[in-house]
């Protein structure tokens, strides 16, 4: 199969020296890319800036902003069988990028106007496909600090994906930057599966097995 994975954060510049970003190490997305390669799949990894080495056999596309990630996903999604959108995309970006460094001056406060970025996951919901060309199996992620299941179920509904992988990022030791995670999988059918706390590499292998189940491999 051809598997497209997004990973890492995006960076939204304010001026030549500053940006807004999200906490994301990229470890979960890179682990999924590696697990897919290990089971013989073709992988396109679209990655924001992370401190990880690109998996040697993946086609890796490095991007910085959410706009660049959007364009890269749409450039590669056409023949993907599975799309795993694991990246922590910034939801907002500065309305204006100043061409020169913003100086502190004598200001006592500073207000930044933000505008929404394009939602990449949502954009895949209505992707036009050729006749007889099945929609890809689209997997979204939901990093939540509270009411994890309710928020994830709402995201699954709103974004029209086949599967939402939710994780609780409120606790220490799992999620951000950690090598471990604990995942709740919510399928469009309503089925819920919990992948107990384990290394991200182990969880990634379990996720790839689930893709195999879906495609009867
Ligand atoms: N996502 C995306 N493009 C965006 C924002 C999010 O593709 N501009 C994707 C993420 O990669 C993830 C999913 O949407 O797979 C959920 O992201 P999240 O930030 O948790 O959800 P939001 O819809 O942004 O909702 P909120 O921030 O209010 O929780």
């Amino acid at each position: 199969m051809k598997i497209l994975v997004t990973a890492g954060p995006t960076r939204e510049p304010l001026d030549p020296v500053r940006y807004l970003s999200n906490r994301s190490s990229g470890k979960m997305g890179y682990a999924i890319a590696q697990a897919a390669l290990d089971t013989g799949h073709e992988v396109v990894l679209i990655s924001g800036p992370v401190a990880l080495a690109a998996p040697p056999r993946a086609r890796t596309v490095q991007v910085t902003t959410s706009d660049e990630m959007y364009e890269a996903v749409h450039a590669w999604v056409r023949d993907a069988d599975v799309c795993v959108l694991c990246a922590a995309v910034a939801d907002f970006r500065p309305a204006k990028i100043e061409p020169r460094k913003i100086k502190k001056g004598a200001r006592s406060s500073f207000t930044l106007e933000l505008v929404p970025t394009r939602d990449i996951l949502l954009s895949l919901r209505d992707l036009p496909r050729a006749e007889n060309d099945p929609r890809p199996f689209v997997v979204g992620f939901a990093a939540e600090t509270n009411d994890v299941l309710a928020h994830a179920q709402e995201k699954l509904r709103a974004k029209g994906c086949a599967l939402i992988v939710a994780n609780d990022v409120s606790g220490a030791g799992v999620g951000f930057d950690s090598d471990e995670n604990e995942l709740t999988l919510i399928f469009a059918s309503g089925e819920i599966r919990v992948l107990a706390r384990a290394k991200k590499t182990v969880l990634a292998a379990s996720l790839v097995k689930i893709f195999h189940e879906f495609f009867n491999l």
Side-chain angles (χ1 to χ4, degrees):
M1 290 196 296
K2 291 188 177 151
I3 303 189
L4 182 155
V5 182
T6 69
T10 63
R11 288 180 182 169
E12 313 300 328
L14 281 67
D15 71 12
V17 296
R18 305 182 178 97
Y19 56 79
L20 294 177
S21 194
N22 274 324
R23 279 182 69 184
S24 169
S25 64
K27 284 178 185 170
M28 192 69 231
Y30 274 57
I32 294 168
Q34 190 61 59
L37 289 164
D38 291 345
T39 40
H41 301 294
E42 269 180 58
V43 173
V44 175
L45 173 62
I46 299 172
S47 177
V50 294
L52 301 171
R57 284 173 294 124
R59 183 184 287 270
T60 304
V61 182
Q62 305 282 358
V63 298
T64 304
T65 65
S66 60
D67 263 345
E68 289 169 7
M69 187 170 278
Y70 182 101
E71 297 301 336
V73 167
H74 282 267
W76 288 98
V77 70
R78 293 282 151 213
D79 52 355
D81 301 299
V82 179
C83 294
V84 187
L85 299 199
C86 195
V89 185
D91 287 329
F92 292 91
R93 62 177 171 79
K96 187 167 181 277
I97 304 173
E98 295 296 339
R100 294 184 179 176
K101 185 183 173 194
I102 301 166
K103 299 299 284 179
K104 181 169 62 190
R107 305 172 214 250
S108 59
S109 70
F110 178 73
T111 305
L112 189 61
E113 190 191 349
L114 302 178
V115 293
T117 58
R118 290 182 286 180
D119 191 318
I120 305 167
L121 183 56
L122 186 63
S123 73
L124 298 186
R125 188 185 63 185
D126 306 316
L127 195 69
R129 305 284 285 189
E131 221 180 314
N132 301 327
D133 202 1
R135 265 175 56 75
F137 184 80
V138 176
V139 183
F141 273 69
E144 306 288 350
T145 55
N146 56 288
D147 303 312
V148 178
L149 198 55
H151 281 136
Q153 280 165 330
E154 173 52 23
K155 264 175 206 170
L156 176 90
R157 197 196 55 74
K159 302 207 187 194
C161 37
L163 166 64
I164 280 275
V165 179
N167 69 319
D168 185 340
V169 290
S170 63
V174 292
F176 296 134
D177 260 327
S178 166
D179 287 329
E180 294 196 337
N181 215 343
E182 183 182 295
L183 303 174
T184 303
L185 277 47
I186 301 139
F187 294 82
S189 63
E191 187 192 346
I192 295 175
R193 285 195 217 174
V194 174
L195 300 182
R197 181 173 176 158
K199 284 204 177 327
K200 287 180 177 175
T201 48
V202 173
L203 295 169
S206 303
L207 278 175
V208 171
K209 270 199 195 125
I210 288 166
F211 307 155
H212 289 180
E213 273 176 40
F214 183 81
F215 286 92
N216 290 320
L217 295 178

